[in-house]
Amino acid sequence: QVRLVESGGGLVQVGDSLTLSCAASGRPFSPRSMAWFRRAPGKEGEIVASIAWTSGNLYYGDSAKGRFIISKDNARNMIYLQMDNLQPADTAVYYCAASVLKPDLYERWGQGTQVTVAA
C-alpha cells in the first residue's frame, strides 16, 4: 500500500519559517488530491491546505492564507508545506494525507510531524 512519510518538523521561534515535506512510496501514486492537516493539543483537527494532483487547484484554510504555501512534485511523489511567520497558534502535529477514491475523503495518512513554536 501507499505510505506517506512527513518530515521537517521541529522547534522554532515566533516569526520563523519552516518547510514540511511528505514523501509517498509503495506503489504507483496518482491521488485525486493531497493535503496537509494539523491537530493542536485539545483541539479538533483542521485542514491547512490541499492541492489537486493533476490540475494543481489550491485550497487554503483561513489560518494558512497569506503565510503558508502548498506545492507538489508529481515526478517525485512529494508535497511540501512552506510556513512563514510562524506563531504559537501554529503549534500542532502536522499530517500529510491523500485522497484517492472518494472526493473530500482522505484515506491515506502519514504518521505526523510535530511543529512547536515557542511563545
Side-chain angles (χ1 to χ4, degrees), residues 19 29 36 57 67 81 110 119:
T19 298
F29 187 66
W36 289 98
N57 287 346
R67 297 191 301 130
L81 183 68

Short mmCIF file of all heavy atoms in Angstrom, two decimals, residues 19 29 36 57 67 81 110 119:
data_model
loop_
_atom_site.label_atom_id
_atom_site.label_comp_id
_atom_site.label_asym_id
_atom_site.label_seq_id
_atom_site.Cartn_x
_atom_site.Cartn_y
_atom_site.Cartn_z
N THR A 19 9.72 24.45 6.47
CA THR A 19 9.12 23.75 5.34
C THR A 19 8.99 22.27 5.66
O THR A 19 9.97 21.61 6.02
CB THR A 19 9.96 23.93 4.06
OG1 THR A 19 10.00 25.31 3.70
CG2 THR A 19 9.33 23.15 2.90
N PHE A 29 1.56 6.12 -7.77
CA PHE A 29 0.82 7.08 -6.97
C PHE A 29 0.16 8.12 -7.86
O PHE A 29 0.83 8.84 -8.60
CB PHE A 29 1.79 7.75 -5.99
CG PHE A 29 1.13 8.65 -4.99
CD1 PHE A 29 0.28 8.14 -4.03
CD2 PHE A 29 1.38 10.01 -5.01
CE1 PHE A 29 -0.32 8.97 -3.10
CE2 PHE A 29 0.79 10.85 -4.08
CZ PHE A 29 -0.07 10.32 -3.12
N TRP A 36 -2.46 18.88 3.65
CA TRP A 36 -1.87 18.97 4.98
C TRP A 36 -2.97 19.28 5.98
O TRP A 36 -3.75 20.22 5.77
CB TRP A 36 -0.80 20.06 5.05
CG TRP A 36 0.45 19.73 4.30
CD1 TRP A 36 0.79 20.13 3.06
CD2 TRP A 36 1.54 18.95 4.79
NE1 TRP A 36 2.03 19.65 2.72
CE2 TRP A 36 2.51 18.91 3.77
CE3 TRP A 36 1.80 18.27 5.98
CZ2 TRP A 36 3.72 18.23 3.89
CZ3 TRP A 36 3.00 17.58 6.10
CH2 TRP A 36 3.93 17.57 5.07
N ASN A 57 -5.11 22.75 -8.60
CA ASN A 57 -6.03 23.64 -7.89
C ASN A 57 -5.71 23.64 -6.40
O ASN A 57 -5.45 22.59 -5.81
CB ASN A 57 -7.48 23.22 -8.12
CG ASN A 57 -7.97 23.54 -9.51
OD1 ASN A 57 -7.34 24.30 -10.24
ND2 ASN A 57 -9.10 22.97 -9.88
N ARG A 67 0.32 33.11 4.60
CA ARG A 67 1.52 32.70 5.32
C ARG A 67 2.10 31.38 4.86
O ARG A 67 3.31 31.18 4.93
CB ARG A 67 1.24 32.60 6.82
CG ARG A 67 0.86 33.91 7.48
CD ARG A 67 0.87 33.77 8.99
NE ARG A 67 -0.07 32.74 9.44
CZ ARG A 67 0.24 31.77 10.29
NH1 ARG A 67 1.47 31.68 10.77
NH2 ARG A 67 -0.68 30.89 10.66
N LEU A 81 4.95 21.90 2.40
CA LEU A 81 4.22 22.99 3.03
C LEU A 81 5.25 24.00 3.54
O LEU A 81 5.96 23.72 4.51
CB LEU A 81 3.34 22.51 4.17
CG LEU A 81 2.49 23.59 4.83
CD1 LEU A 81 1.41 24.08 3.87
CD2 LEU A 81 1.85 23.06 6.12
N GLY A 110 -0.17 10.00 6.83
CA GLY A 110 1.15 9.80 7.39
C GLY A 110 1.10 9.76 8.90
O GLY A 110 0.04 9.85 9.52
N ALA A 119 6.57 30.45 22.44
CA ALA A 119 5.92 31.72 22.72
C ALA A 119 6.87 32.71 23.38
O ALA A 119 7.79 32.32 24.10
CB ALA A 119 4.70 31.51 23.61
#
